[in-house]
Amino acid sequence: MPTDRLNYINCKCEVNVEHLKARDIPIVAQLYMRSFQNHFLGHMGQKFLMLFISEFVNSRGNFGYVATFKNEAIGFILASTSENPFRNFYRDNFISLVCLTISGFLKDAFIRKHLKEKFGHIFLALKALVSFSEGSIDHVEMKGGQPRLLAIAVDRSYRGLGIASDLTAEFCKEMKELGYEEAGLSALPWNKRAIRFYIKDGWKEEESTENSISFSRIL
Ligand SMILES: CC(C)(COP(=O)(O)OP(=O)(O)OC[C@H]1O[C@@H](n2cnc3c(N)ncnc32)[C@H](O)[C@@H]1OP(=O)(O)O)[C@@H](O)C(=O)NCCC(=O)NCCS
């Protein structure tokens, strides 16, 4: 068992959950890559992920939470109340994102295999670029006003300790304080551990298709 996990259990230190800060971005990007090795974004590399994750720091409509142990990020949540959480991300970083995507395409077979499934995002990125001349883009609430949990991960060495629940509790608490009554998320059907976690954590299955299961939770 890794020493840090043993320390965590032995000293029964409470994990700290707080808003994601700029200083957490590099380590959260690494955690994202390690935790989402079967997902497209997990293959996009550190630079792409750092730009992506910074959209959840002090951002109107996007929310980031980080669980820290000994001042080191060991888990995170990315969430949004916005209908287009990535619009400013596409618009502000368009050229960098194109370069990083081409580089990923050339280097990584996973990106080559799955890029066509992301054409919807390419369309959204182009749309965001067109709106560039219109100046700053207003935050648009999710349809039905429901906050969405977009990603959650806990470092492999710290799983099974309740840290994921601490993170969702903080997210749900803030959403409730903001006046929302329900939150949603979706999971890939093969992600059995995450699905077990969501059910245990009070999320109710709403809809299931071959590619996605959606859950909601009363706040
Ligand atoms: C999803 C995640 C955040 C949950 O955190 P966690 O610390 O593992 O959560 P918990 O251990 O509290 O809950 C997981 C449940 O799955 C069970 N579980 C453990 N290993 C499992 C496995 N290999 N397969 C299926 N279930 C498993 C656990 O027993 C636990 O249920 P139980 O407490 O009733 O026994 C974490 O597993 C993770 O980071 N996964 C990688 C990233 C990811 O897939 N995120 C979700 C998609 S956005």
Side-chain angles (χ1 to χ4, degrees), residues 31 35 74-76 152-160 163-164 167:
L31 190 49
S35 305
I74 55 169
F76 68 85
I152 178 168
V154 171
D155 187 302
R156 203 176 283 277
S157 311
Y158 295 91
R159 289 186 193 158
I163 293 166
L167 280 159

Side-chain angles (χ1 to χ4, degrees), residues 36-108:
F36 293 100
Q37 288 171 0
N38 293 323
H39 295 67
F40 189 83
L41 262 186
H43 281 257
M44 287 304 284
Q46 175 86 0
K47 277 190 195 151
F48 188 103
L49 279 166
M50 282 178 58
L51 291 172
F52 176 72
I53 290 161
S54 38
E55 286 303 308
F56 297 85
V57 178
N58 291 329
S59 160
R60 188 160 173 238
N62 287 346
F63 298 81
Y65 303 86
V66 66
T68 57
F69 174 56
K70 291 190 192 167
N71 289 324
E72 183 97 335
I74 55 169
F76 68 85
I77 275 182
L78 305 178
S80 187
T81 58
S82 169
E83 201 184 320
N84 300 299
F86 312 127
R87 197 152 59 164
N88 288 350
F89 167 65
Y90 293 138
R91 189 197 64 166
D92 298 343
N93 304 299
F94 189 81
I95 302 291
S96 305
L97 298 183
V98 169
C99 296
L100 290 166
T101 306
I102 292 170
S103 154
F105 185 85
L106 296 174
K107 282 193 218 150
D108 188 329

Side-chain angles (χ1 to χ4, degrees), residues 9-21:
I9 297 165
N10 288 341
C11 74
K12 298 201 176 13
C13 290
E14 278 201 14
V15 68
N16 229 353
V17 176
E18 51 200 38
H19 281 128
L20 183 68
K21 299 195 177 52

Side-chain angles (χ1 to χ4, degrees), residues 5 31-32 34-36 39 74 76 149-156 158-165 167 185-188 190-198 200:
R5 181 182 166 104
L31 190 49
Y32 198 110
R34 289 201 303 275
S35 305
F36 293 100
H39 295 67
I74 55 169
F76 68 85
L149 193 159
L150 302 173
I152 178 168
V154 171
D155 187 302
R156 203 176 283 277
Y158 295 91
R159 289 186 193 158
L161 296 172
I163 293 166
S165 282
L167 280 159
L185 61 84
S186 48
L188 296 169
W190 52 258
N191 198 345
K192 300 294 177 211
R193 181 164 191 157
I195 291 165
R196 284 265 314 258
F197 163 70
Y198 292 138
K200 196 178 67 171

Side-chain angles (χ1 to χ4, degrees), residues 134-148:
E134 293 162 15
S136 137
I137 296 168
D138 285 338
H139 158 71
V140 183
E141 290 290 320
M142 281 283 183
K143 281 199 182 88
Q146 195 189 62
R148 284 197 78 73

